[in-house]
């Protein structure tokens, strides 16, 4: 009735369609290896014997037991990002927020204190201001420009320092070596959100930071088609993060890992292109009469240009923000006249995307709350894509009028 294809390894399962199809499997071709990483789209694995099964179940981060605990495709992604950041261990997560949440829970609990910089990705701010207090974790937010402020805010029960550099959406930098040196002395774990920089422009472990986290939804995957995150750093710290991530269910589906791994192969090309385009657009906007400020650490006039040269030697990244003269309404009018550039909250995508934070938040916040964020009402954040830089500049110029 059914012939056994060669790749179905278990002729002992018989030829009735029920049994045969239940055991259909892929066998790796003998003597050759695939040139693309195989996708292990499986929820779990089977073991030969009780001993092997018990070992898999109790080995942290095992990649052959249950996909929420680990998976070979996810492991390949973890190895690649760890190597890029100059580390040997990483844990991938279902999103950037999954990574940050797992880090918070791994190092802080009831009665503990966390210091974080004030300018952070909105989700991270939400985690620290809404979720952390419910868990009994207290948080102090400090100005990232003032390195000594981190030390001043630290208390005997401070367990974690959270950084983001460059930070959303004003592209301000934090002195990583400065914060890391003080934290090391005090035994406080440091984590940086390195999403905006990418591991090609900035390698924070080299400055003494303990853990590096990415929203792989952005540059690491690079095509705007997947949500994922990752944390890398010292193996013992990464293992503690994994213990929380797999309990939270924050580990990725194998296909998501596969998509990030696929995108990663072109990361150097994409980052080089986006660095160059961002610099060209930043320079153009800085000279535009309708723009009152451009925030991009690659610009010569940037107040932290020396720090940018030290921390981001290869380039300042593909994200910038600028302020339109005339505030909220003028910025919104410009946004609505863009034709090529699309309105989107993400970045690290093939197409250039823009977001007008004040307009986005005006639907969620009162005018007072909006003022409290400290963000200029005319601020627009631009995530550069792969288009011809001249086409991006022409779209911006036309929209500015
Ligand atoms: C997008 C983003 C996050 C959150 O990542 P998700 O994958 O959306 O959960 C965190 N930090 C920064 C800087 C981001 O841009």
């Amino acid at each position: 009735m059914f012939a056994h294809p060669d790749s179905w390894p278990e002729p002992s399962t018989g030829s009735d369609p029920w049994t045969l199809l239940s055991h259909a499997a892929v066998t790796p071709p003998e003597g050759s290896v695939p040139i693309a990483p195989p996708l292990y789209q499986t929820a779990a694995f089977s073991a030969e014997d009780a001993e092997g099964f018990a070992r898999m179940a109790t080995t942290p981060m095992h990649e052959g037991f249950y996909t929420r605990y680990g998976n070979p495709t996810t492991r390949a992604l973890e190895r690649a990002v760890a190597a890029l950041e100059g580390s040997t261990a990483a844990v991938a997560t279902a999103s950037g927020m999954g990574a940050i949440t797992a880090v918070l829970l791994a190092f802080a609990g009831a009665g503990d204190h966390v210091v974080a910089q004030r300018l952070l990705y909105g989700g991270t701010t939400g985690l620290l201001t809404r979720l952390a207090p419910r868990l009994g974790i207290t948080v102090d937010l400090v100005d990232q420009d003032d390195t000594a402020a981190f030390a001043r805010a630290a208390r005997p029960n401070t367990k974690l320092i959270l950084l983001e550099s460059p930070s959303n959406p004003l592209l301000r930098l934090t002195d990583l070596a400065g914060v890391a040196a003080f934290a090391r002395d005090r035994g406080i774990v440091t984590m940086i959100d390195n999403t905006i920089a990418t591991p090609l422009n900035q390698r924070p472990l080299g400055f003494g930071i303990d853990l590096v986290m990415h929203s792989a939804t952005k540059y690491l995957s690079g095509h705007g088609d997947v949500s994922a995150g990752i944390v890398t750093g010292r193996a013992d710290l990464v293992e503690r993060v994994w213990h929380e991530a797999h309990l939270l269910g924050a580990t990725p589906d194998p296909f998501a890992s596969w998509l990030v791994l696929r995108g990663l192969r072109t990361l150097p090309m994409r980052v080089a292109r986006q660095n160059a385009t961002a610099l060209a657009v930043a320079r153009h906007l800085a000279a535009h009469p309708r723009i009152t400020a451009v925030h991009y650490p690659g610009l010569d006039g940037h107040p932290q240009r020396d720090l940018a040269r030290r921390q981001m030697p290869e380039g300042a990244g593909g994200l910038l923000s600028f302020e339109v003269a005339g505030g909220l309404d003028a910025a919104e009018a410009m946004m609505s006249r863009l034709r090529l550039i699309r309105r989107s909250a993400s970045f690290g995508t093939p197409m250039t995307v823009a977001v007008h934070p004040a307009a986005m938040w005006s639907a969620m916040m009162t005018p007072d709350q909006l003022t409290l964020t400290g963000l200029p009402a005319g601020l627009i954040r631009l995530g550069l894509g792969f288009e011809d830089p001249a086409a991006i500049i022409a779209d911006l110029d036309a929209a500015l009028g």
Side-chain angles (χ1 to χ4, degrees):
M1 187 166 65
F2 285 95
H4 274 291
D6 289 344
S7 61
W8 293 18
E10 297 178 66
S12 62
T13 52
S15 63
D16 74 277
W18 297 92
T19 310
L20 185 144
L21 293 173
S22 300
H23 288 257
V26 174
T27 332
E30 211 170 296
S32 69
V33 289
I35 60 164
L39 169 57
Y40 281 82
Q41 189 68 33
T42 182
F45 303 80
S46 70
E48 287 295 313
D49 51 35
E51 214 175 283
F53 196 64
R55 189 172 40 77
M56 285 176 359
T58 52
T59 305
M61 307 188 68
H62 197 288
E63 74 242 43
F65 171 59
Y66 190 72
T67 280
R68 181 162 52 76
Y69 288 50
N71 175 283
T73 304
T74 299
R75 179 52 43 83
L77 165 64
E78 291 165 342
R79 284 209 186 99
V81 175
L84 275 177
E85 289 285 8
S87 156
T88 54
V91 58
T93 53
S95 66
M97 284 312 300
I100 299 170
T101 305
V103 168
L104 178 72
L105 294 182
F107 299 103
D112 291 337
H113 178 243
V114 173
V115 177
Q117 59 182 60
R118 191 164 291 120
L119 285 178
L120 288 167
Y121 177 71
T124 312
T125 305
L127 179 68
L128 294 177
T129 57
R130 290 187 37 220
L131 197 65
R134 283 164 49 195
L135 300 171
I137 302 168
T138 50
V139 178
D140 270 312
L141 301 177
V142 302
D143 177 0
Q144 75 193 102
D145 295 352
D146 180 4
T147 306
F150 291 90
R152 281 198 305 275
R155 303 176 195 166
N157 61 339
T158 303
K159 295 290 163 58
L160 182 66
I161 295 180
L162 293 179
L163 308 174
E164 184 177 307
S165 182
S167 63
N168 239 313
L170 286 169
L171 289 305
R172 301 284 274 276
L173 307 189
T174 309
D175 181 346
L176 303 184
V179 176
F182 128 80
R184 274 276 155 92
D185 282 351
R186 299 276 295 265
I188 304 171
V189 173
T190 49
M191 188 211 88
I192 182 180
D193 184 336
N194 203 29
T195 301
I196 295 174
T198 81
L200 298 180
N201 289 326
Q202 176 170 274
R203 290 167 40 121
L205 298 177
F207 296 100
I209 298 292
D210 294 315
L211 290 170
V212 177
M213 166 267 152
H214 287 273
S215 167
T217 312
K218 315 291 167 49
Y219 292 107
L220 296 189
S221 61
H223 292 73
D225 52 11
V226 60
S227 276
I230 196 157
V231 182
T232 180
R234 229 169 62 208
D236 60 322
L237 301 180
V238 167
E239 191 179 311
R240 285 176 65 178
V241 177
W242 172 83
H243 277 287
E244 308 302 331
H246 88 284
L247 285 180
L248 285 167
T251 45
D253 183 78
F255 186 48
S257 298
W258 188 88
L259 282 171
V260 179
L261 195 53
R262 184 191 211 275
L264 262 187
R265 290 178 185 267
T266 56
L267 183 70
M269 287 172 261
R270 292 187 282 105
V271 168
R273 172 87 179 179
Q274 284 161 325
N275 280 346
T277 302
L279 183 59
V281 171
R283 284 183 175 148
H284 179 81
L285 290 173
H288 197 288
R290 293 215 47 220
I291 303 297
T292 55
V294 178
H295 306 280
Y296 185 64
L299 273 184
D300 280 334
H302 191 276
Q304 295 173 303
R305 184 73 191 114
D306 288 343
L307 184 58
R309 278 202 186 88
R310 278 206 304 282
Q311 284 185 175
M312 307 178 75
E314 302 295 325
L319 197 66
L320 62 86
S321 59
F322 58 92
E323 296 170 37
V324 180
L328 188 94
D329 293 342
E332 198 37 49
M334 185 219 163
M335 286 288 289
S336 65
R337 284 194 294 260
L338 291 169
R339 290 292 165 263
L340 183 70
I341 299 168
R342 308 291 288 268
R343 195 192 293 260
S344 173
S346 199
F347 57 86
T349 46
M351 66 166 65
T352 297
V353 291
V355 66
H356 179 198
M360 183 169 72
W361 293 340
S362 65
M364 321 173 201
M365 296 184 195
T366 63
D368 281 354
Q369 285 175 319
L370 224 118
T371 313
L372 270 180
T373 66
L375 288 183
L379 186 83
I380 291 175
R381 189 190 74 187
L382 202 58
L384 284 311
F386 309 144
E387 302 95 334
D388 183 347
I392 297 168
I393 287 172
D395 196 38
L396 289 166
D397 281 350
L400 282 166

